[in-house]
Amino acid sequence: MNATSQQQGQGQQQHPNIEGRHDDDAALSEFLASLMDYTPTIPDELVEHYLAKSGFQCPDVRLVRLVAVATQKFIADVATDALQQCKARQSAVIKDKREKQQKDKRLILTMEDLSRALHEVNIKIVLISDNIQKSSFQDDPIVMMK
Amino acid sequence: MSDGGNEESAREIDNVIDINPAISRSGANEFGRAIAKIAVAQICESVGFESFNESALESLSDIAVRYLCDLGKTASSYANSAGRTECNVFDIIQGMEDFGLLRGVLGASEAPNCVIESGALREIMDYVESAQEIPFAQPVPQFPVVRARKLIPSFLQMGETPEFKQIPDWLPAFPDPHTYRHSPVWNERVTDPRADKIELARQRRKAERSLLSLQQRLVCNGDVIASTSTTEPHDSRLEMQPNASENPFLAKPLQAGEKDVSPVILPDTVRNQADGENHISLLEAFAPAIEAMKDGPSESGHDVEKTLPDKRPAVCLEFKTGKKVLGDLLDLRLRNRGSGRTASWFGHNDEKDDKKRRAEFILRQSMENQQELTQL
């Protein structure tokens, strides 16, 4: 907990209410502690590897977990959107042909649903050729930064 | 959960990322991709999907990896802006805010006075509390695996002193001169063909002498019949023509009687036709040798060394082309063995096997060729 306090001291923004700051600090500390209990689906080693590649340097495991959780949430949101798209399409189909209801019960993640869901996040998937597909972050100046 | 059936074939995402050479082909990269694929599949499964298209899964995992990298880059850039090299939690939160703004996060319109109030963080916190925990399916080793490099040994380690004074000895050593300077491949040896021929002749003489002693020993063991004078002088055989080539297999075939070989003992039927000279029957001559082999390593060989007759019985040999005789067999053996082994012939057990084999061969030959020998 001491380390967290020192970190906060470095990048701390001015807050008029000192009491509130302490509460927020406590909330953050608690949250980071709770992260240790929660094991993100994306393994720590993978996250560490890609963070090291991008220049992110931090020995603290909690921050690694935080990044992993953020990514997991992002992917989960995208997947949820795609699922909604898939279900919407299935319901549209079922209206017309009821006999297909039994067959299409399986929910499959398709490129079409995925590209629609990603469009919400301003990620555009472009089909270059039949065999190669390219994904690019467009209209996303921060994400495109290299 | 299984990958859904799909007409699109699996493709290498590596081909796709041409725009970003930073994420280039590397072993760790492919491993990371595979793991990301598994993790993303697990997340999607928890969301509710039952199966995936291969292409969709690869694209999503690719996007996840990019998101990860970009978050790291953003956070590190914020840290650098603040004059730090190590990132802290606020850098990450600000990075998340940046990404969140584009997505549309509840409360993003309010500029947070305190980073704790950031909408993105709140969302994350809610997510952590609400979403179920799905640990990764398999244990993941620490990667990329760093292999210890084999360093060039320093001057000190090699035990050399650098030629130039300004070079300290803890630096890596210079490569060996043969790596950059042309040096002779083999030792230039002066070849003296005459000396080689003399040496070859000497070795052959040695072989003949030992063969002679063997034959004499065998004769002695069987109660030597008085030997007649040898028709051919012993010395003449020494003046052999050495072969021009060193290769024994390409040597000129020897003429009859040119080489000292063990006598081919003709069987009784042939003896009758001999020109009056004494012949020793094959079995008689080799019986002691056969018995000696049966008994094991012969000590008797040492006893009879001193009682060798000077002369050996005359041998009448007729060589037919294409016919195997004992002499040829011994000849090859002598050539292949060289001079070194002849001295120790009687001491080795494997030699006993050889002698046994030879004796059996002779017996067999004589039995088989009895009819042909009568024609001599």
Side-chain angles (χ1 to χ4, degrees):
Chain A
M1 286 308 161
N2 291 334
T4 317
S5 312
Q6 285 167 11
Q7 283 176 349
Q8 290 176 355
Q10 285 176 352
Q12 186 65 39
Q13 296 182 10
Q14 291 306 313
H15 199 273
N17 193 349
I18 299 178
E19 287 279 332
R21 185 200 290 182
H22 286 318
D23 287 341
D24 292 332
D25 291 350
L28 189 59
S29 318
E30 273 179 35
F31 172 62
L32 288 175
S34 72
L35 263 186
M36 293 312 295
D37 295 332
Y38 179 88
T39 311
T41 309
I42 303 175
D44 286 343
E45 291 83 4
L46 183 79
V47 176
E48 272 176 17
H49 173 244
Y50 283 114
L51 286 181
K53 259 194 176 181
S54 5
F56 179 97
Q57 186 182 352
C58 185
D60 201 345
V61 185
R62 292 173 297 180
L63 298 188
V64 171
R65 288 265 169 104
L66 182 58
V67 173
V69 168
T71 312
Q72 183 176 345
K73 178 179 173 304
F74 172 73
I75 297 294
D77 290 343
V78 169
T80 315
D81 287 345
L83 189 70
Q84 285 171 1
Q85 298 276 343
C86 187
K87 281 186 177 162
R89 179 175 314 162
Q90 277 193 352
S91 65
V93 168
I94 285 170
K95 274 182 200 167
D96 302 335
K97 301 169 188 179
R98 296 215 176 248
E99 62 270 14
K100 276 200 178 175
Q101 195 173 0
Q102 309 303 320
K103 288 183 194 173
D104 289 344
K105 261 202 171 160
R106 285 188 88 200
L107 297 163
I108 305 178
L109 175 67
T110 60
M111 271 316 294
E112 214 180 316
D113 296 335
L114 188 63
S115 60
R116 275 203 203 137
L118 287 172
H119 188 71
E120 314 251 334
V121 207
N122 293 329
I123 298 175
K124 202 169 155 190
I125 297 202
V126 173
L127 188 69
I128 292 180
S129 79
D130 284 339
N131 290 329
I132 300 175
Q133 221 163 1
K134 181 173 158 182
S135 67
S136 68
F137 290 87
Q138 295 206 350
D139 308 332
D140 204 346
I142 302 222
V143 178
M144 283 266 295
M145 177 179 64
K146 295 297 173 231
Chain B
M1 174 187 78
S2 60
D3 287 347
N6 182 18
E7 53 263 3
E8 290 171 273
S9 56
R11 39 179 167 273
E12 289 289 320
I13 294 287
D14 279 340
N15 301 337
V16 172
I17 319 271
D18 291 326
I19 59 173
N20 189 0
I23 311 180
S24 59
R25 300 137 188 38
S26 73
N29 196 39
E30 287 171 18
F31 185 65
R33 273 187 201 293
I35 298 211
K37 238 162 81 164
I38 300 173
V40 162
Q42 279 187 283
I43 295 172
C44 291
E45 190 190 21
S46 74
V47 165
F49 277 107
E50 284 154 12
S51 57
F52 317 88
N53 280 355
E54 183 85 23
S55 57
L57 185 64
E58 283 184 1
S59 305
L60 196 54
S61 65
D62 177 37
I63 288 168
V65 166
R66 282 179 184 236
Y67 188 88
L68 208 50
C69 289
D70 289 335
L71 195 55
K73 274 186 201 151
T74 316
S76 67
S77 78
Y78 274 117
N80 292 340
S81 305
R84 285 176 277 114
T85 53
E86 279 196 11
C87 305
N88 68 29
V89 64
F90 302 104
D91 300 327
I92 298 176
I93 293 173
Q94 281 199 298
M96 287 187 326
E97 287 262 316
D98 288 343
F99 290 173
L101 274 170
L102 300 159
R103 277 213 66 205
V105 164
L106 206 62
S109 59
E110 311 163 3
N113 290 330
C114 174
V115 81
I116 312 301
E117 290 175 358
S118 75
L121 188 61
R122 240 181 286 135
E123 275 200 15
I124 300 268
M125 291 165 79
D126 293 338
Y127 178 78
V128 169
E129 282 159 30
S130 62
Q132 60 183 144
E133 178 173 327
I134 319 151
F136 192 68
Q138 314 258 343
V140 178
Q142 191 73 277
F143 77 99
V145 177
V146 178
R147 224 189 312 174
R149 288 183 306 156
K150 211 170 61 167
L151 298 172
I152 303 172
S154 67
F155 280 110
L156 207 57
Q157 288 169 353
M158 299 264 289
E160 294 173 355
T161 44
E163 294 167 1
F164 310 102
K165 289 218 179 84
Q166 78 271 19
I167 302 177
D169 54 6
W170 46 262
L171 285 178
F174 284 141
D176 294 332
H178 72 263
T179 55
Y180 57 84
R181 207 182 288 156
H182 178 264
S183 53
V185 176
W186 55 82
N187 289 330
E188 299 286 353
R189 236 180 294 151
V190 177
T191 51
D192 185 5
R194 186 173 167 276
D196 289 343
K197 285 176 187 170
I198 292 171
E199 179 64 28
L200 189 67
R202 190 181 66 81
Q203 287 178 2
R204 288 209 178 117
R205 276 198 301 275
K206 246 178 129 181
E208 286 166 21
R209 235 177 287 132
S210 50
L211 180 59
L212 176 64
S213 62
L214 162 70
Q215 187 257 337
Q216 284 168 345
R217 202 181 306 275
L218 294 171
V219 164
C220 279
N221 287 340
D223 290 329
V224 177
I225 303 167
S227 58
T228 58
S229 61
T230 55
T231 50
E232 300 159 53
H234 195 54
D235 295 341
S236 67
R237 289 188 209 98
L238 301 181
E239 294 170 6
M240 293 183 357
Q241 282 301 315
N243 291 321
S245 71
E246 305 272 325
N247 191 348
F249 298 103
L250 298 178
K252 284 185 297 189
L254 296 173
Q255 296 305 314
E258 199 179 41
K259 188 143 176 113
D260 239 4
V261 291
S262 253
V264 176
I265 310 294
L266 306 176
D268 289 349
T269 52
V270 183
R271 206 199 311 172
N272 299 334
Q273 300 173 14
D275 44 357
E277 290 177 341
N278 281 334
H279 292 281
I280 305 164
S281 93
L282 178 66
L283 284 171
E284 284 175 9
F286 281 86
I290 294 167
E291 280 172 11
M293 279 176 260
K294 284 180 194 163
D295 296 341
S298 71
E299 293 88 21
S300 63
H302 300 294
D303 300 339
V304 241
E305 260 179 356
K306 304 301 172 192
T307 61
L308 294 175
D310 294 328
K311 297 172 186 168
R312 69 175 200 154
V315 176
C316 185
L317 295 169
E318 284 218 14
F319 286 91
K320 267 192 181 171
T321 55
K323 186 165 143 189
K324 269 205 224 170
V325 241
L326 172 67
D328 282 331
L329 192 64
L330 277 181
D331 187 16
L332 277 175
R333 282 176 185 275
L334 283 175
R335 281 177 170 175
N336 293 341
R337 292 263 175 81
S339 59
R341 301 273 305 268
T342 52
S344 55
W345 262 12
F346 302 103
H348 290 215
N349 286 334
D350 49 354
E351 301 291 338
K352 297 293 164 236
D353 293 337
D354 275 341
K355 279 203 267 181
K356 203 180 199 176
R357 258 184 268 125
R358 261 184 270 135
E360 285 167 10
F361 182 86
I362 295 161
L363 290 167
R364 235 182 306 124
Q365 284 276 335
S366 62
M367 300 308 169
E368 288 169 7
N369 300 340
Q370 268 193 17
Q371 291 193 351
E372 289 169 311
L373 282 173
T374 55
Q375 297 166 10
L376 291 177

